[in-house]
C-alpha cells in the first residue's frame, strides 16, 4: 500500500487542515484544563499546609485527602490526554492519522470526532477490552 493511497483514503487534502485545527483546539482545551486542575490541586495542598490536619482523627481530613486524590487523578488523565493529542498531531503530519494501529484499517470519522486521539478502530478497541 503506498502512502498517497492511505492518505487519500483517510484524509482528503482539504480535511487535513480541519483535522489539524480540531486536534489543536482539543490540545488547547486540555492545556487549559491542566492549568485549572493544577491551580485547584495547589490550592488544596496550600490550604492543608496552613492547618495541621490529622487525617485519621479530623472528620474533614478524609474528605480533603479524597479531594486531593481525585483532583490528582483528573490531572494525570488530562496530562495523558495531552500526550495522546500530541501523538495524534504527529501522526497527522506523517500521514498516518486516522488508521488503526492494530489492523491498519481507517478509523471511522465518527469515532475520531468523539475521540480525536483514537489509535484504534472500534473493532480493535473492543477486542482489547475483552
Amino acid at each position: 500500500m503506498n502512502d498517497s493511497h492511505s492518505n487519500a483514503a483517510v484524509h482528503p487534502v482539504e480535511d487535513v487542515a480541519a483535522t489539524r485545527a480540531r486536534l489543536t483546539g482539543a490540545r488547547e482545551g486540555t492545556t487549559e484544563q491542566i492549568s485549572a486542575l493544577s491551580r485547584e490541586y495547589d490550592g488544596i495542598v496550600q490550604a492543608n499546609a496552613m492547618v495541621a490536619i490529622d487525617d485519621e482523627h479530623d472528620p474533614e481530613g478524609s474528605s480533603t485527602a479524597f479531594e486531593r486524590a481525585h483532583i490528582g487523578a483528573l490531572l494525570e488523565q488530562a496530562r495523558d490526554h495531552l500526550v495522546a493529542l500530541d501523538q495524534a498531531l504527529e501522526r497527522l503530519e506523517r500521514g498516518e492519522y486516522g488508521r488503526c494501529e492494530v489492523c491498519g484499517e481507517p478509523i471511522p470519522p465518527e469515532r475520531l470526532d468523539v475521540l480525536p486521539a483514537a489509535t484504534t478502530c472500534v473493532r480493535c478497541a473492543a477486542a482489547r477490552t475483552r
Side-chain angles (χ1 to χ4, degrees):
M1 172 175 14
N2 69 34
D3 286 338
S4 64
H5 173 61
S6 64
N7 270 344
V10 178
H11 290 288
V13 174
E14 58 270 10
D15 288 344
V16 173
T19 301
R20 185 179 295 109
R22 189 175 78 243
L23 288 169
T24 301
R27 189 184 190 290
E28 289 169 4
T30 302
T31 301
E32 290 170 10
Q33 180 184 25
I34 289 169
S35 294
L37 288 168
S38 293
R39 285 190 302 272
E40 189 171 349
Y41 186 86
D42 291 346
I44 293 167
V45 170
Q46 287 175 356
N48 287 338
M50 292 181 200
V51 179
I53 293 182
D54 179 357
D55 284 357
E56 192 174 319
H57 298 101
D58 183 355
E60 299 273 327
S62 60
S63 63
T64 302
F66 172 79
E67 186 178 6
R68 186 176 56 236
H70 178 70
I71 298 299
L74 292 174
L75 190 53
E76 184 177 341
Q77 272 183 332
R79 287 177 177 148
D80 289 346
H81 186 61
L82 184 64
V83 169
L85 289 167
D86 286 342
Q87 291 169 345
L89 282 163
E90 290 170 9
R91 286 192 306 278
L92 182 67
E93 296 307 315
R94 290 191 311 260
E96 299 169 2
Y97 180 81
R99 287 226 172 255
C100 178
E101 68 181 8
V102 176
C103 69
E105 292 297 314
I107 299 172
E110 300 82 13
R111 178 166 171 78
L112 293 171
D113 285 344
V114 175
L115 299 169
T119 59
T120 57
C121 66
V122 175
R123 187 187 57 202
C124 290
R128 282 184 171 178
T129 61
R130 289 184 196 155

